[in-house]
Amino acid sequence: MPNLRELLHFYAEAGVDTPLEDAPVNRFAQADVKRPAAAPPAAARAPMPQPQPRQETTLPPSALSKASVPDDAKIGLARQLASSAVTLDELRSQLASFEGCNLKFTAKNLVFADGNPQASIMFIGEAPGREEDLEGVPFIGRSGQLLDRMFAAIGLDRTSVYIANTIPWRPPGNRTPTPLETEICRPFFERQIELANPKLLVALGGPAAKALTNASEGILRLRGNWKSHITTSGIEIPVMPTLHPAYLLRNPAQKRFAWRDFVSVKLRLRALTE
Ligand code: URA
């Protein structure tokens, strides 16, 4: 069946490579949805009803609190587990046992970190992609290879940097993590930064920059300007927001901006460590 093969190839190329269930589900048979009958011709239509005063459809407080508890509970549990970890190894184990983020159930591996946790500089990306998910190591696909070359350009490599992501599980089809997923994972990446205690942070791409600095501007405005990340214990760490290597692969002309940001990082790192 060449068409089916082509369709599957198209899905795989688009990053849709994660079946959620073993057997396909016929959603049409499942949903007992009655389609509204087609509208009658204009002449046969009844006169337009006059607008009625809007009825407030407030949920009873009990329903509201039930709706908000599960997410709050997940964030609360994440905070509790993250703060109880006193080493990065413990944090990794706590994260591995945490079931509050749905991304865990579609990912193949937890992608915790790579590089040197003693390094003075920590790079934070958004979320693992396909290759990272398969190997359980951040930034090893095409964008990771570009990142390695960017490190080399300022005299760094994976023995002198620590690398992690705000989200440690691959979102299906590489979609952007939702704000809720980021908030559920926040206690873990904040604790990871606190325990690694780098002198400088580099946020790779808009979502990481926003998650670390609470900035609301887009990455093209943010990049190149030093910001701060305040740890949960109140320590201020300088953050350089820069362009994500995956974006640079798609927009090579923008590499000159990332180069400027990396030079700024190199100078600040030198001033802090020499
Ligand atoms: N993109 C990211 O943001 N993180 C990775 O680990 C890989 C690709």
Side-chain angles (χ1 to χ4, degrees):
M1 285 220 268
N3 288 345
L4 182 57
R5 196 172 305 125
E6 277 161 23
L7 181 64
L8 288 174
H9 181 71
F10 170 80
Y11 281 153
E13 286 290 297
V16 184
D17 56 4
T18 311
L20 290 180
E21 294 179 33
D22 288 339
V25 178
N26 183 348
R27 305 274 176 209
F28 294 106
Q30 237 181 19
D32 187 20
V33 180
K34 304 257 183 303
R35 288 172 193 232
R45 274 188 219 144
M48 286 284 285
Q50 292 306 301
Q52 298 297 308
R54 204 170 141 225
Q55 299 235 321
E56 291 303 331
T57 51
T58 39
L59 290 171
S62 60
L64 276 180
S65 64
K66 267 188 206 130
S68 62
V69 163
D71 295 340
D72 289 354
K74 287 173 192 168
I75 297 172
L77 177 61
R79 278 206 197 106
Q80 196 187 318
L81 292 176
S83 62
S84 72
V86 294
T87 64
L88 287 166
D89 283 344
E90 276 180 26
L91 186 67
R92 185 193 194 119
S93 312
Q94 298 288 34
L95 200 44
S97 69
F98 178 62
E99 309 238 300
C101 181
N102 286 342
L103 295 175
K104 176 180 185 172
F105 305 110
T106 49
K108 294 194 170 53
N109 280 301
L110 170 69
V111 180
F112 184 67
D114 194 24
N116 179 358
Q118 317 290 334
S120 303
I121 184 161
M122 179 170 179
F123 288 77
I124 309 229
E126 178 183 336
R130 186 169 177 275
E131 283 80 9
E132 290 79 14
D133 182 40
L134 291 174
E135 299 293 325
V137 180
F139 284 103
I140 52 159
R142 277 187 69 222
S143 58
Q145 288 156 21
L146 174 57
L147 186 60
D148 284 337
R149 295 199 292 279
M150 293 161 77
F151 290 157
I154 55 165
L156 300 174
D157 61 23
R158 289 194 188 220
T159 66
S160 50
V161 303
Y162 185 52
I163 312 171
N165 283 302
T166 52
I167 306 281
W169 294 285
R170 181 194 184 203
N174 295 345
R175 67 163 169 75
T176 302
T178 65
L180 175 61
E181 286 159 356
T182 304
E183 288 320 301
I184 290 174
C185 294
R186 176 178 292 281
F188 293 105
F189 69 73
E190 290 192 343
R191 186 71 178 145
Q192 193 170 7
I193 294 170
E194 206 163 31
L195 291 171
N197 194 21
K199 291 190 167 68
L200 290 185
L201 284 162
V202 179
L204 299 165
K210 284 180 187 166
L212 295 184
T213 68
N214 287 329
S216 54
E217 303 101 303
I219 189 64
L220 295 178
R221 269 184 188 278
L222 273 179
R223 63 140 288 275
N225 299 301
W226 286 99
K227 300 274 170 199
S228 293
H229 171 73
I230 312 291
T231 67
T232 31
S233 50
I235 295 169
E236 186 173 341
I237 305 178
V239 183
M240 171 55 77
T242 192
L243 303 171
H244 193 287
Y247 173 82
L248 296 174
L249 287 172
R250 294 191 303 272
N251 301 277
Q254 306 283 316
K255 283 184 187 169
R256 63 188 194 278
F257 297 117
W259 168 241
R260 283 182 208 163
D261 304 345
F262 268 56
V263 170
S264 177
V265 166
K266 179 185 175 170
L267 294 176
R268 188 138 185 190
L269 187 62
R270 192 184 286 163
L272 284 170
T273 55
E274 280 177 2

